Amino acid sequence: MSTQKHIVVIGAGVGGTATAARLTREGFRVTVVEKNSFSGGRCSLIHHNGHRFDQGPSLYLMPKMFEDAFADLDERVEDHLELLRCDNNYKVHFDDGESIQLSSDLTRMKSELDRIEGPLGFGRFLDFLKETHIHYERGVFIAIKRNFESIWDMLQVKFAPEVVRLHLFGKIYDRASKYFLTKKMRMAFTFQTMYMGMSPYDAPAVYSLLQYTEFAEGIWYPKGGFNMVVQKLEAIAKNKYGAKFLYDSPVSKINTEGNRATGVTLDSGEFIEADAVVCNADLVYAYHHLLPPCKWTMNTLAAKKLTSSSISFYWSMKEKVPKLDVHNIFLAEAYQESFDEIFNDHSLPSEASFYVNVPSRIDPSAAPEGKDTVIVLVPIGHMKSLAGNAEEADYPKMVERARAMVLEVIEHRLGMKNFSDLIEHESYNDPAIWQSKFNLWRGSILGLSHDIFQVLWFRPSTKDSTGRFDNLFFVGASTHPGTGVPIVLAGSKLTSDQVTTSFGKRPLPRKVQDQISYKAEDVTHGVQLMPLFVYTFVITFLFFVFFPTNATNQTAASFINSALPKPFRVSYENDLLLERLNAV
């Protein structure tokens, strides 16, 4: 009988697929069970008559996270994905008809900032990038690539300075307001919190790391659609390491016995035994529906804040729309009020900000020749019903309102009277559909929110947060380190390593190393001199403060003067003058 341990992974989203690949590489036998007939979860595709739509993510950000994920599997990302870089990051449209281009090209950015912010605007922009650079580098190192299994992993003296350095208790809009004078630029550098399902007035300032990666590393797109990332990870997991994927296999229950998870039961009644279970299903849904109830689930977890939902339209266009770029942002003039309606009222804003993506602009394979594929994401509040009862809200009516609003804004700001006539076919997702299709709790598309007390150790753990089951693990948006494809990929390593060590094994080192290694300039002499300078300053300061003036009838300065060779001494006349001044 084989002694190989068997791991069951629930869900073939990006987190579940990456974790399955990692665990099979570690020598485990892995079975992935997925409720849908396709991979990726929210990171999946919709097809219609030659049009291809990314159902969820469309911006390939933080490319180093993707490189690390493939390198950990002994592969190079460039051997699997053809990445296309956007010439412009965004075209941002305002209520007064004006628009600006955000670009990682500094020459273009200087022109835009000079025009909107004045001659000093570009310098303030560089100062903003300097701050966000710190947020990115330190944030990734401390919060994303590190697990917090115990509160003591977080409460360490060495992390104390980071509270200030990362502006953990500041808000993104407040920090942007320090650098940008105009409302337009403040909006243009804060709307990115929508990708985290949060308001820029509530999101911790450290998450400006998103703005940094857009400008410093660019915005990319995988040719063939974002789901190509998941497809390639699955191919590595199956073809290279031997993982097994079962589709159309929804899980009805995680089986438990004592303090152990013993496997899963599918809707079909089939039982799959396991030595450990990794859950990539929505964490809040899993605790409510797949596991035995407990006080932590009903009280602590149920009380946590959720991210927003969305009404997402998928439009097959009859022809190309040249006035739309790859990534387009339409911002409401009532900017703060629109976010308040989303996160306080949990509704569709009366004046919405929204995102329009045209993948066919950068990847022609996304649409038939001569046509465009258009995706519109309108952020709205998650379901008000605590139990996720979709019938308590009239979502069909809300979808109609959102559609009319989007079309009116696009036609007005682009100067196109016939845009709606160009839509050949439409499909959409609303909170009820998101919940039904992907088990997203209350239709929240990005899981638990990232308030300061819902991150790090405060966020549900990668290992069962109730402490009931020793071999139940989690990966995905609502567990540590958080939401977003690159963050979840980083989280898959934390989860995989935790599973591996729970069986008494040490995670294998990667075989593929970074292609470029940098060697710092030798500054040994300068580094050695610094302690000498500090020591000399301290001794000199103490000498002047504690010199026994009364006992020696000399000042510290006159004592030093008398010890100098005669040619270097201050003249007697000057000494006499100083003594008279001191007496006065």
Side-chain angles (χ1 to χ4, degrees), residues 138-151 153-155 159 162-163 166 168 206-207 304 449-462 465 478-482:
R138 299 302 299 163
V140 168
F141 176 73
I142 294 170
I144 296 177
K145 292 192 173 184
R146 183 188 303 268
N147 213 338
F148 293 86
E149 300 179 38
S150 161
I151 191 172
D153 292 330
M154 181 179 69
L155 298 179
F159 293 148
E162 306 299 343
V163 174
L166 298 178
L168 290 183
V206 64
Y207 289 112
K304 289 186 179 294
S449 185
H450 291 76
D451 289 358
I452 194 64
F453 293 110
Q454 288 193 185
V455 294
L456 305 180
W457 176 81
F458 299 107
R459 199 167 187 82
S461 175
T462 49
S465 295
S478 288
T479 190
H480 178 73

mmCIF file of all heavy atoms in Angstrom, residues 138-151 153-155 159 162-163 166 168 206-207 304 449-462 465 478-482:
data_model
loop_
_atom_site.group_PDB
_atom_site.id
_atom_site.type_symbol
_atom_site.label_atom_id
_atom_site.label_comp_id
_atom_site.label_asym_id
_atom_site.label_seq_id
_atom_site.Cartn_x
_atom_site.Cartn_y
_atom_site.Cartn_z
ATOM 1 N N ARG A 138 8.224 47.219 1.352
ATOM 2 C CA ARG A 138 8.096 46.764 2.728
ATOM 3 C C ARG A 138 6.804 45.974 2.933
ATOM 4 O O ARG A 138 6.774 44.979 3.660
ATOM 5 C CB ARG A 138 8.137 47.956 3.692
ATOM 6 C CG ARG A 138 9.427 48.754 3.643
ATOM 7 C CD ARG A 138 10.627 47.896 3.939
ATOM 8 N NE ARG A 138 10.564 47.320 5.271
ATOM 9 C CZ ARG A 138 11.300 46.284 5.690
ATOM 10 N NH1 ARG A 138 12.123 45.690 4.851
ATOM 11 N NH2 ARG A 138 11.187 45.834 6.919
ATOM 12 N N GLY A 139 5.721 46.421 2.267
ATOM 13 C CA GLY A 139 4.445 45.728 2.408
ATOM 14 C C GLY A 139 4.495 44.307 1.902
ATOM 15 O O GLY A 139 3.989 43.376 2.541
ATOM 16 N N VAL A 140 5.110 44.115 0.738
ATOM 17 C CA VAL A 140 5.231 42.762 0.172
ATOM 18 C C VAL A 140 6.067 41.874 1.085
ATOM 19 O O VAL A 140 5.712 40.727 1.371
ATOM 20 C CB VAL A 140 5.844 42.835 -1.246
ATOM 21 C CG1 VAL A 140 6.260 41.442 -1.720
ATOM 22 C CG2 VAL A 140 4.858 43.447 -2.226
ATOM 23 N N PHE A 141 7.182 42.421 1.561
ATOM 24 C CA PHE A 141 8.093 41.630 2.388
ATOM 25 C C PHE A 141 7.472 41.241 3.722
ATOM 26 O O PHE A 141 7.587 40.098 4.178
ATOM 27 C CB PHE A 141 9.387 42.419 2.627
ATOM 28 C CG PHE A 141 10.353 41.739 3.558
ATOM 29 C CD1 PHE A 141 11.065 40.620 3.137
ATOM 30 C CD2 PHE A 141 10.547 42.201 4.848
ATOM 31 C CE1 PHE A 141 11.957 39.986 4.000
ATOM 32 C CE2 PHE A 141 11.427 41.574 5.714
ATOM 33 C CZ PHE A 141 12.137 40.459 5.285
ATOM 34 N N ILE A 142 6.770 42.190 4.351
ATOM 35 C CA ILE A 142 6.256 41.945 5.697
ATOM 36 C C ILE A 142 4.900 41.262 5.684
ATOM 37 O O ILE A 142 4.668 40.292 6.425
ATOM 38 C CB ILE A 142 6.152 43.277 6.476
ATOM 39 C CG1 ILE A 142 7.547 43.847 6.720
ATOM 40 C CG2 ILE A 142 5.417 43.093 7.801
ATOM 41 C CD1 ILE A 142 7.535 45.250 7.270
ATOM 42 N N ALA A 143 3.972 41.741 4.838
ATOM 43 C CA ALA A 143 2.576 41.320 4.951
ATOM 44 C C ALA A 143 2.147 40.259 3.948
ATOM 45 O O ALA A 143 1.166 39.558 4.187
ATOM 46 C CB ALA A 143 1.659 42.541 4.814
ATOM 47 N N ILE A 144 2.838 40.138 2.830
ATOM 48 C CA ILE A 144 2.379 39.234 1.783
ATOM 49 C C ILE A 144 3.178 37.931 1.731
ATOM 50 O O ILE A 144 2.622 36.858 1.516
ATOM 51 C CB ILE A 144 2.424 39.948 0.412
ATOM 52 C CG1 ILE A 144 1.438 41.116 0.414
ATOM 53 C CG2 ILE A 144 2.105 38.987 -0.728
ATOM 54 C CD1 ILE A 144 1.449 41.949 -0.856
ATOM 55 N N LYS A 145 4.487 38.014 1.978
ATOM 56 C CA LYS A 145 5.325 36.820 1.873
ATOM 57 C C LYS A 145 5.605 36.176 3.228
ATOM 58 O O LYS A 145 6.454 35.304 3.336
ATOM 59 C CB LYS A 145 6.638 37.169 1.173
ATOM 60 C CG LYS A 145 6.454 37.532 -0.301
ATOM 61 C CD LYS A 145 7.767 37.591 -1.035
ATOM 62 C CE LYS A 145 7.555 37.775 -2.520
ATOM 63 N NZ LYS A 145 8.819 37.745 -3.280
ATOM 64 N N ARG A 146 4.883 36.615 4.234
ATOM 65 C CA ARG A 146 5.098 36.102 5.591
ATOM 66 C C ARG A 146 3.758 35.625 6.160
ATOM 67 O O ARG A 146 2.750 36.301 6.006
ATOM 68 C CB ARG A 146 5.684 37.214 6.466
ATOM 69 C CG ARG A 146 6.034 36.804 7.880
ATOM 70 C CD ARG A 146 6.420 38.050 8.677
ATOM 71 N NE ARG A 146 7.508 38.777 8.071
ATOM 72 C CZ ARG A 146 8.785 38.602 8.355
ATOM 73 N NH1 ARG A 146 9.128 37.713 9.254
ATOM 74 N NH2 ARG A 146 9.718 39.318 7.758
ATOM 75 N N ASN A 147 3.760 34.474 6.816
ATOM 76 C CA ASN A 147 2.536 33.978 7.438
ATOM 77 C C ASN A 147 2.468 34.452 8.889
ATOM 78 O O ASN A 147 3.496 34.725 9.507
ATOM 79 C CB ASN A 147 2.471 32.454 7.386
ATOM 80 C CG ASN A 147 1.048 31.949 7.258
ATOM 81 O OD1 ASN A 147 0.095 32.638 7.593
ATOM 82 N ND2 ASN A 147 0.889 30.731 6.744
ATOM 83 N N PHE A 148 1.253 34.578 9.402
ATOM 84 C CA PHE A 148 1.042 35.017 10.772
ATOM 85 C C PHE A 148 0.165 33.978 11.474
ATOM 86 O O PHE A 148 -1.023 34.178 11.683
ATOM 87 C CB PHE A 148 0.387 36.403 10.795
ATOM 88 C CG PHE A 148 1.286 37.493 10.266
ATOM 89 C CD1 PHE A 148 1.339 37.774 8.910
ATOM 90 C CD2 PHE A 148 2.103 38.205 11.129
ATOM 91 C CE1 PHE A 148 2.176 38.756 8.414
ATOM 92 C CE2 PHE A 148 2.956 39.193 10.642
ATOM 93 C CZ PHE A 148 2.993 39.475 9.287
ATOM 94 N N GLU A 149 0.793 32.851 11.818
ATOM 95 C CA GLU A 149 0.070 31.753 12.436
ATOM 96 C C GLU A 149 -0.278 32.061 13.888
ATOM 97 O O GLU A 149 -1.228 31.512 14.440
ATOM 98 C CB GLU A 149 0.892 30.470 12.342
ATOM 99 C CG GLU A 149 1.199 30.052 10.906
ATOM 100 C CD GLU A 149 2.035 28.791 10.835
ATOM 101 O OE1 GLU A 149 1.806 27.891 11.664
ATOM 102 O OE2 GLU A 149 2.919 28.698 9.957
ATOM 103 N N SER A 150 0.495 32.934 14.516
ATOM 104 C CA SER A 150 0.277 33.317 15.908
ATOM 105 C C SER A 150 0.311 34.834 16.014
ATOM 106 O O SER A 150 0.949 35.508 15.193
ATOM 107 C CB SER A 150 1.381 32.712 16.793
ATOM 108 O OG SER A 150 1.472 33.385 18.040
ATOM 109 N N ILE A 151 -0.362 35.379 17.005
ATOM 110 C CA ILE A 151 -0.330 36.826 17.207
ATOM 111 C C ILE A 151 1.087 37.303 17.493
ATOM 112 O O ILE A 151 1.459 38.438 17.188
ATOM 113 C CB ILE A 151 -1.288 37.239 18.351
ATOM 114 C CG1 ILE A 151 -1.454 38.771 18.365
ATOM 115 C CG2 ILE A 151 -0.791 36.719 19.703
ATOM 116 C CD1 ILE A 151 -2.511 39.268 19.306
ATOM 117 N N ASP A 153 3.674 36.317 15.970
ATOM 118 C CA ASP A 153 4.355 36.529 14.692
ATOM 119 C C ASP A 153 4.198 37.975 14.229
ATOM 120 O O ASP A 153 4.994 38.480 13.443
ATOM 121 C CB ASP A 153 3.790 35.595 13.618
ATOM 122 C CG ASP A 153 4.115 34.144 13.890
ATOM 123 O OD1 ASP A 153 5.172 33.886 14.498
ATOM 124 O OD2 ASP A 153 3.311 33.273 13.513
ATOM 125 N N MET A 154 3.150 38.630 14.712
ATOM 126 C CA MET A 154 2.874 40.018 14.340
ATOM 127 C C MET A 154 3.423 41.010 15.361
ATOM 128 O O MET A 154 3.961 42.059 14.994
ATOM 129 C CB MET A 154 1.360 40.215 14.189
ATOM 130 C CG MET A 154 0.935 41.613 13.773
ATOM 131 S SD MET A 154 -0.871 41.743 13.600
ATOM 132 C CE MET A 154 -1.388 41.606 15.323
ATOM 133 N N LEU A 155 3.312 40.669 16.658
ATOM 134 C CA LEU A 155 3.724 41.593 17.716
ATOM 135 C C LEU A 155 5.214 41.452 17.991
ATOM 136 O O LEU A 155 5.640 40.923 19.016
ATOM 137 C CB LEU A 155 2.913 41.338 18.986
ATOM 138 C CG LEU A 155 1.401 41.555 18.865
ATOM 139 C CD1 LEU A 155 0.715 41.253 20.186
ATOM 140 C CD2 LEU A 155 1.091 42.978 18.417
ATOM 141 N N PHE A 159 8.904 45.163 13.954
ATOM 142 C CA PHE A 159 7.866 45.676 13.064
ATOM 143 C C PHE A 159 7.322 47.036 13.509
ATOM 144 O O PHE A 159 6.574 47.672 12.765
ATOM 145 C CB PHE A 159 6.688 44.687 12.983
ATOM 146 C CG PHE A 159 7.036 43.391 12.305
ATOM 147 C CD1 PHE A 159 6.426 42.203 12.687
ATOM 148 C CD2 PHE A 159 7.974 43.349 11.290
ATOM 149 C CE1 PHE A 159 6.729 40.999 12.063
ATOM 150 C CE2 PHE A 159 8.298 42.154 10.662
ATOM 151 C CZ PHE A 159 7.684 40.985 11.047
ATOM 152 N N GLU A 162 7.480 50.019 11.226
ATOM 153 C CA GLU A 162 6.710 49.883 9.986
ATOM 154 C C GLU A 162 5.314 50.492 10.114
ATOM 155 O O GLU A 162 4.697 50.854 9.113
ATOM 156 C CB GLU A 162 6.591 48.403 9.592
ATOM 157 C CG GLU A 162 7.908 47.654 9.489
ATOM 158 C CD GLU A 162 8.849 48.217 8.441
ATOM 159 O OE1 GLU A 162 8.396 48.990 7.565
ATOM 160 O OE2 GLU A 162 10.050 47.888 8.502
ATOM 161 N N VAL A 163 4.802 50.602 11.322
ATOM 162 C CA VAL A 163 3.486 51.218 11.519
ATOM 163 C C VAL A 163 3.482 52.626 10.971
ATOM 164 O O VAL A 163 2.535 53.065 10.306
ATOM 165 C CB VAL A 163 3.101 51.212 13.016
ATOM 166 C CG1 VAL A 163 1.805 51.977 13.232
ATOM 167 C CG2 VAL A 163 2.972 49.782 13.525
ATOM 168 N N LEU A 166 4.706 52.575 6.899
ATOM 169 C CA LEU A 166 3.686 52.104 5.969
ATOM 170 C C LEU A 166 2.357 52.840 6.115
ATOM 171 O O LEU A 166 1.395 52.516 5.418
ATOM 172 C CB LEU A 166 3.459 50.598 6.169
ATOM 173 C CG LEU A 166 4.678 49.705 5.903
ATOM 174 C CD1 LEU A 166 4.344 48.247 6.179
ATOM 175 C CD2 LEU A 166 5.169 49.859 4.466
ATOM 176 N N LEU A 168 0.037 52.715 8.345
ATOM 177 C CA LEU A 168 -0.988 51.689 8.508
ATOM 178 C C LEU A 168 -2.328 52.253 8.961
ATOM 179 O O LEU A 168 -3.379 51.675 8.668
ATOM 180 C CB LEU A 168 -0.508 50.625 9.499
ATOM 181 C CG LEU A 168 0.628 49.721 9.010
ATOM 182 C CD1 LEU A 168 0.949 48.666 10.051
ATOM 183 C CD2 LEU A 168 0.275 49.060 7.689
ATOM 184 N N VAL A 206 -1.297 51.872 3.017
ATOM 185 C CA VAL A 206 -0.274 50.967 2.505
ATOM 186 C C VAL A 206 -0.671 50.360 1.162
ATOM 187 O O VAL A 206 0.193 50.000 0.347
ATOM 188 C CB VAL A 206 0.032 49.854 3.534
ATOM 189 C CG1 VAL A 206 -1.183 48.976 3.764
ATOM 190 C CG2 VAL A 206 1.228 49.022 3.102
ATOM 191 N N TYR A 207 -1.987 50.284 0.891
ATOM 192 C CA TYR A 207 -2.418 49.658 -0.359
ATOM 193 C C TYR A 207 -2.224 50.555 -1.582
ATOM 194 O O TYR A 207 -2.592 50.170 -2.695
ATOM 195 C CB TYR A 207 -3.868 49.191 -0.243
ATOM 196 C CG TYR A 207 -3.990 48.006 0.680
ATOM 197 C CD1 TYR A 207 -4.636 48.106 1.900
ATOM 198 C CD2 TYR A 207 -3.410 46.784 0.353
ATOM 199 C CE1 TYR A 207 -4.721 47.030 2.766
ATOM 200 C CE2 TYR A 207 -3.478 45.697 1.207
ATOM 201 C CZ TYR A 207 -4.133 45.827 2.409
ATOM 202 O OH TYR A 207 -4.193 44.749 3.260
ATOM 203 N N LYS A 304 -17.503 40.177 10.373
ATOM 204 C CA LYS A 304 -16.418 40.822 9.625
ATOM 205 C C LYS A 304 -16.962 41.547 8.394
ATOM 206 O O LYS A 304 -17.956 41.130 7.795
ATOM 207 C CB LYS A 304 -15.368 39.783 9.212
ATOM 208 C CG LYS A 304 -14.547 39.255 10.385
ATOM 209 C CD LYS A 304 -13.436 38.355 9.924
ATOM 210 C CE LYS A 304 -12.608 37.843 11.093
ATOM 211 N NZ LYS A 304 -11.865 38.929 11.760
ATOM 212 N N SER A 449 -13.061 42.236 3.631
ATOM 213 C CA SER A 449 -12.413 43.531 3.427
ATOM 214 C C SER A 449 -11.008 43.538 4.034
ATOM 215 O O SER A 449 -10.615 42.615 4.756
ATOM 216 C CB SER A 449 -13.274 44.633 4.057
ATOM 217 O OG SER A 449 -12.735 45.906 3.786
ATOM 218 N N HIS A 450 -10.259 44.608 3.738
ATOM 219 C CA HIS A 450 -8.876 44.716 4.201
ATOM 220 C C HIS A 450 -8.690 45.874 5.175
ATOM 221 O O HIS A 450 -7.696 46.591 5.139
ATOM 222 C CB HIS A 450 -7.936 44.873 3.003
ATOM 223 C CG HIS A 450 -7.835 43.654 2.159
ATOM 224 N ND1 HIS A 450 -8.836 43.294 1.283
ATOM 225 C CD2 HIS A 450 -6.885 42.692 2.060
ATOM 226 C CE1 HIS A 450 -8.484 42.170 0.680
ATOM 227 N NE2 HIS A 450 -7.318 41.784 1.130
ATOM 228 N N ASP A 451 -9.674 46.069 6.053
ATOM 229 C CA ASP A 451 -9.479 47.019 7.144
ATOM 230 C C ASP A 451 -8.268 46.587 7.960
ATOM 231 O O ASP A 451 -7.882 45.415 7.955
ATOM 232 C CB ASP A 451 -10.718 47.053 8.050
ATOM 233 C CG ASP A 451 -11.908 47.719 7.365
ATOM 234 O OD1 ASP A 451 -11.735 48.175 6.223
ATOM 235 O OD2 ASP A 451 -12.999 47.769 7.965
ATOM 236 N N ILE A 452 -7.709 47.547 8.695
ATOM 237 C CA ILE A 452 -6.468 47.258 9.415
ATOM 238 C C ILE A 452 -6.636 46.106 10.395
ATOM 239 O O ILE A 452 -5.683 45.365 10.678
ATOM 240 C CB ILE A 452 -5.954 48.535 10.135
ATOM 241 C CG1 ILE A 452 -4.504 48.352 10.581
ATOM 242 C CG2 ILE A 452 -6.845 48.901 11.300
ATOM 243 C CD1 ILE A 452 -3.528 48.168 9.464
ATOM 244 N N PHE A 453 -7.850 45.907 10.923
ATOM 245 C CA PHE A 453 -8.077 44.803 11.854
ATOM 246 C C PHE A 453 -8.685 43.578 11.162
ATOM 247 O O PHE A 453 -9.281 42.711 11.810
ATOM 248 C CB PHE A 453 -8.954 45.268 13.023
ATOM 249 C CG PHE A 453 -8.264 46.274 13.912
ATOM 250 C CD1 PHE A 453 -8.666 47.595 13.938
ATOM 251 C CD2 PHE A 453 -7.180 45.887 14.692
ATOM 252 C CE1 PHE A 453 -8.013 48.522 14.737
ATOM 253 C CE2 PHE A 453 -6.514 46.802 15.498
ATOM 254 C CZ PHE A 453 -6.943 48.131 15.524
ATOM 255 N N GLN A 454 -8.502 43.521 9.838
ATOM 256 C CA GLN A 454 -8.869 42.316 9.080
ATOM 257 C C GLN A 454 -7.729 41.875 8.174
ATOM 258 O O GLN A 454 -7.948 41.236 7.147
ATOM 259 C CB GLN A 454 -10.151 42.556 8.265
ATOM 260 C CG GLN A 454 -11.393 42.622 9.117
ATOM 261 C CD GLN A 454 -12.692 42.554 8.325
ATOM 262 O OE1 GLN A 454 -13.768 42.694 8.895
ATOM 263 N NE2 GLN A 454 -12.639 42.339 7.020
ATOM 264 N N VAL A 455 -6.501 42.226 8.555
ATOM 265 C CA VAL A 455 -5.320 41.790 7.818
ATOM 266 C C VAL A 455 -4.317 41.204 8.807
ATOM 267 O O VAL A 455 -4.504 41.256 10.021
ATOM 268 C CB VAL A 455 -4.678 42.946 7.016
ATOM 269 C CG1 VAL A 455 -5.608 43.421 5.916
ATOM 270 C CG2 VAL A 455 -4.293 44.105 7.935
ATOM 271 N N LEU A 456 -3.242 40.610 8.254
ATOM 272 C CA LEU A 456 -2.188 39.980 9.051
ATOM 273 C C LEU A 456 -2.810 38.920 9.976
ATOM 274 O O LEU A 456 -3.603 38.110 9.516
ATOM 275 C CB LEU A 456 -1.414 41.034 9.843
ATOM 276 C CG LEU A 456 -0.816 42.187 9.005
ATOM 277 C CD1 LEU A 456 -0.084 43.171 9.894
ATOM 278 C CD2 LEU A 456 0.083 41.672 7.912
ATOM 279 N N TRP A 457 -2.468 38.920 11.254
ATOM 280 C CA TRP A 457 -2.978 37.886 12.155
ATOM 281 C C TRP A 457 -4.486 37.995 12.348
ATOM 282 O O TRP A 457 -5.165 36.998 12.633
ATOM 283 C CB TRP A 457 -2.279 37.996 13.518
ATOM 284 C CG TRP A 457 -2.814 37.032 14.525
ATOM 285 C CD1 TRP A 457 -2.502 35.703 14.663
ATOM 286 C CD2 TRP A 457 -3.795 37.319 15.534
ATOM 287 N NE1 TRP A 457 -3.227 35.147 15.700
ATOM 288 C CE2 TRP A 457 -4.022 36.118 16.254
ATOM 289 C CE3 TRP A 457 -4.490 38.459 15.901
ATOM 290 C CZ2 TRP A 457 -4.916 36.041 17.312
ATOM 291 C CZ3 TRP A 457 -5.393 38.393 16.960
ATOM 292 C CH2 TRP A 457 -5.591 37.186 17.652
ATOM 293 N N PHE A 458 -5.056 39.196 12.162
ATOM 294 C CA PHE A 458 -6.491 39.392 12.363
ATOM 295 C C PHE A 458 -7.321 38.738 11.256
ATOM 296 O O PHE A 458 -8.507 38.490 11.449
ATOM 297 C CB PHE A 458 -6.818 40.886 12.415
ATOM 298 C CG PHE A 458 -6.141 41.619 13.535
ATOM 299 C CD1 PHE A 458 -5.093 42.477 13.285
ATOM 300 C CD2 PHE A 458 -6.540 41.426 14.856
ATOM 301 C CE1 PHE A 458 -4.460 43.150 14.319
ATOM 302 C CE2 PHE A 458 -5.916 42.087 15.900
ATOM 303 C CZ PHE A 458 -4.867 42.961 15.626
ATOM 304 N N ARG A 459 -6.713 38.483 10.110
ATOM 305 C CA ARG A 459 -7.443 37.865 8.996
ATOM 306 C C ARG A 459 -7.570 36.362 9.263
ATOM 307 O O ARG A 459 -6.688 35.771 9.890
ATOM 308 C CB ARG A 459 -6.702 38.115 7.685
ATOM 309 C CG ARG A 459 -7.576 37.940 6.433
ATOM 310 C CD ARG A 459 -6.880 38.507 5.212
ATOM 311 N NE ARG A 459 -7.763 38.501 4.048
ATOM 312 C CZ ARG A 459 -8.671 39.416 3.803
ATOM 313 N NH1 ARG A 459 -8.817 40.416 4.641
ATOM 314 N NH2 ARG A 459 -9.434 39.353 2.719
ATOM 315 N N PRO A 460 -8.661 35.718 8.805
ATOM 316 C CA PRO A 460 -8.751 34.268 8.975
ATOM 317 C C PRO A 460 -7.480 33.566 8.505
ATOM 318 O O PRO A 460 -6.920 33.901 7.455
ATOM 319 C CB PRO A 460 -9.962 33.896 8.110
ATOM 320 C CG PRO A 460 -10.845 35.105 8.202
ATOM 321 C CD PRO A 460 -9.891 36.271 8.187
ATOM 322 N N SER A 461 -7.046 32.623 9.280
ATOM 323 C CA SER A 461 -5.751 31.988 9.071
ATOM 324 C C SER A 461 -5.756 31.015 7.896
ATOM 325 O O SER A 461 -6.802 30.526 7.467
ATOM 326 C CB SER A 461 -5.358 31.241 10.347
ATOM 327 O OG SER A 461 -4.170 30.507 10.162
ATOM 328 N N THR A 462 -4.560 30.739 7.399
ATOM 329 C CA THR A 462 -4.398 29.718 6.360
ATOM 330 C C THR A 462 -4.625 28.314 6.933
ATOM 331 O O THR A 462 -4.752 27.350 6.188
ATOM 332 C CB THR A 462 -2.996 29.797 5.740
ATOM 333 O OG1 THR A 462 -2.021 29.838 6.795
ATOM 334 C CG2 THR A 462 -2.849 31.045 4.884
ATOM 335 N N SER A 465 -9.212 28.514 11.467
ATOM 336 C CA SER A 465 -9.215 29.580 12.468
ATOM 337 C C SER A 465 -9.964 29.212 13.735
ATOM 338 O O SER A 465 -9.786 29.859 14.769
ATOM 339 C CB SER A 465 -9.837 30.851 11.868
ATOM 340 O OG SER A 465 -9.039 31.361 10.823
ATOM 341 N N SER A 478 -10.132 35.459 1.018
ATOM 342 C CA SER A 478 -10.562 35.819 2.367
ATOM 343 C C SER A 478 -9.654 35.316 3.465
ATOM 344 O O SER A 478 -9.896 35.569 4.644
ATOM 345 C CB SER A 478 -11.991 35.316 2.615
ATOM 346 O OG SER A 478 -12.914 36.090 1.885
ATOM 347 N N THR A 479 -8.614 34.593 3.104
ATOM 348 C CA THR A 479 -7.627 34.190 4.097
ATOM 349 C C THR A 479 -6.380 35.058 3.923
ATOM 350 O O THR A 479 -6.313 35.891 3.018
ATOM 351 C CB THR A 479 -7.301 32.693 3.973
ATOM 352 O OG1 THR A 479 -6.508 32.273 5.087
ATOM 353 C CG2 THR A 479 -6.536 32.382 2.693
ATOM 354 N N HIS A 480 -5.409 34.902 4.789
ATOM 355 C CA HIS A 480 -4.157 35.642 4.672
ATOM 356 C C HIS A 480 -3.395 35.151 3.428
ATOM 357 O O HIS A 480 -3.416 33.958 3.139
ATOM 358 C CB HIS A 480 -3.307 35.407 5.928
ATOM 359 C CG HIS A 480 -1.980 36.078 5.892
ATOM 360 N ND1 HIS A 480 -1.834 37.439 6.029
ATOM 361 C CD2 HIS A 480 -0.734 35.578 5.696
ATOM 362 C CE1 HIS A 480 -0.559 37.754 5.940
ATOM 363 N NE2 HIS A 480 0.124 36.635 5.750
ATOM 364 N N PRO A 481 -2.746 36.035 2.637
ATOM 365 C CA PRO A 481 -2.529 37.469 2.882
ATOM 366 C C PRO A 481 -3.601 38.394 2.322
ATOM 367 O O PRO A 481 -3.599 39.578 2.638
ATOM 368 C CB PRO A 481 -1.195 37.729 2.201
ATOM 369 C CG PRO A 481 -1.150 36.743 1.081
ATOM 370 C CD PRO A 481 -1.862 35.513 1.584
ATOM 371 N N GLY A 482 -4.547 37.891 1.482
ATOM 372 C CA GLY A 482 -5.620 38.764 1.019
ATOM 373 C C GLY A 482 -6.031 38.510 -0.409
ATOM 374 O O GLY A 482 -5.719 37.490 -1.015
#
